[in-house]
């Protein structure tokens, strides 16, 4: 604890660093929406302060690993019945059977999502099936939905991307869209391990591409 309330601790205190940290993540749409509002407020304030000091600002729209980073935590919708949860589990199990054709897996997953469209794992598996069928736009849409339904959101949700664009539009900040860069560099449009070393961090080659874009 420091007497200067405007100073942060020397080390980041991440929830996942604590024992049982992952278990503490719960679906809370109200809390998540408030985080997005707070993110935009902070970003806008930082840019305004920089503008007042005559310092140019570049905002970078970040990339996420879509097709090779499964959701960190999955959960059914809060009001799901035990019967519907069992039905989802059966459909998902059948869809993961390697002997099942991809088209049939998609049909099974769609039935499961008709029951519960908040389950990140179902969306991610659907994306994998569409990707295997080379139906890339549908695959990307499913991967993005899986990212947004992740109970432990370690990748930027779509609302955060929108906030970055909005702040750039309303201020003098320059926007560098790294996300679009990697989507264009990836043949299927869904960045994965070919450009990132984990869920959000680009490889050395990926960082070189971002540096070129910044330059």
């Amino acid at each position: 604890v420091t007497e200067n309330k405007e100073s942060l601790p020397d080390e980041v205190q991440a929830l996942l660093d604590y024992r049982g940290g992952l278990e503490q993540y719960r679906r809370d749409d109200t809390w998540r929406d408030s985080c997005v509002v707070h993110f935009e407020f902070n970003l806008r304030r930082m840019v305004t302060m920089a503008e007042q000091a005559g310092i140019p600002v570049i905002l970078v729209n970040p990339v996420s690993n879509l097709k090779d980073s499964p959701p960190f935590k999955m959960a059914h919708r809060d009001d799901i019945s035990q019967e519907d949860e069992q039905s989802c589990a059966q459909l998902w199990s059948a869809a993961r059977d390697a002997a099942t054709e991809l088209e049939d897996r998609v049909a099974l997953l769609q039935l499961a999502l008709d029951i519960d469209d908040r389950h990140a794992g179902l969306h991610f598996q659907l994306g994998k099936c569409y990707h295997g069928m080379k139906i890339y736009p549908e695959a990307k849409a499913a991967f993005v939905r899986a990212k947004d339904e992740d109970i432990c959101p370690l990748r930027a949700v779509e609302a955060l991307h929108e906030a970055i664009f909005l702040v750039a539009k309303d201020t003098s900040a320059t926007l560098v869209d790294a996300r679009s860069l990697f989507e264009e560099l990836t043949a299927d449009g869904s960045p994965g391990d070919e450009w990132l070393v984990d869920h959000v961090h680009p490889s050395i080659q990926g960082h070189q591409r971002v540096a070129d874009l910044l330059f």
Side-chain angles (χ1 to χ4, degrees):
V1 180
T2 177
E3 293 182 0
N4 183 358
K5 294 182 179 180
E6 295 184 356
S7 296
L8 295 173
D10 292 336
E11 297 294 335
V12 174
Q13 297 177 355
L15 183 60
L16 288 177
D17 290 340
Y18 294 95
R19 184 184 299 275
L22 185 62
E23 286 70 24
Q24 295 184 45
Y25 280 87
R26 299 286 187 272
R27 177 180 286 118
D28 188 336
D29 292 332
T30 301
W31 173 81
R32 181 167 125 168
D33 291 344
S34 69
C35 288
V36 173
V37 171
H38 195 64
F39 170 81
E40 182 180 337
F41 170 80
N42 281 336
L43 191 61
R44 192 177 297 275
R45 184 165 179 261
M46 287 189 288
V47 172
T48 299
M49 293 171 66
E51 287 178 336
Q52 292 173 347
I55 302 171
V57 176
I58 299 176
L59 299 178
V60 179
N61 189 34
V63 62
S64 292
N65 187 327
L66 292 179
K67 66 171 175 281
D68 295 315
S69 182
F72 286 89
K73 186 173 183 178
M74 302 165 280
H76 287 288
R77 57 183 172 84
D78 297 335
D79 61 345
I80 194 170
S81 67
Q82 184 175 2
E83 181 180 1
D84 282 346
E85 187 173 342
Q86 290 175 347
S87 296
C88 275
Q90 293 170 355
L91 290 165
W92 195 14
S93 177
R96 286 181 291 183
D97 187 345
T100 306
E101 295 293 331
L102 287 174
E103 292 82 355
D104 295 329
R105 293 188 201 180
V106 167
L108 290 166
L109 290 166
Q110 292 286 12
L111 288 173
L113 286 168
D114 287 341
I115 299 172
D116 181 8
D117 67 348
R118 300 299 306 272
H119 196 281
L122 293 173
H123 287 289
F124 184 77
Q125 195 66 38
L126 181 63
K128 282 292 191 182
C129 291
Y130 277 134
H131 191 271
M133 297 166 64
K134 301 186 186 307
I135 307 178
Y136 296 134
E138 285 83 351
K140 181 182 178 181
F143 289 140
V144 169
R145 184 65 186 276
K147 170 180 66 69
D148 271 16
E149 294 295 349
D150 196 338
I151 302 299
C152 183
L154 299 184
R155 296 171 291 175
V157 297
E158 292 305 290
L160 292 181
H161 292 292
E162 293 170 5
I164 294 170
F165 274 87
L166 186 59
V167 172
K169 178 183 177 182
D170 293 344
T171 66
S172 63
T174 299
L175 178 67
V176 168
D177 195 352
R179 181 189 191 185
S180 292
L181 167 70
F182 287 111
E183 289 177 351
E184 293 170 3
L185 290 173
T186 307
D188 52 46
S190 296
D193 289 347
E194 67 269 71
W195 288 110
L196 294 101
V197 297
D198 56 15
H199 58 296
V200 292
H201 296 98
S203 62
I204 292 175
Q205 291 79 10
H207 274 104
Q208 289 171 336
R209 293 283 190 165
V210 175
D212 288 340
L213 194 63
L214 286 165
F215 181 78

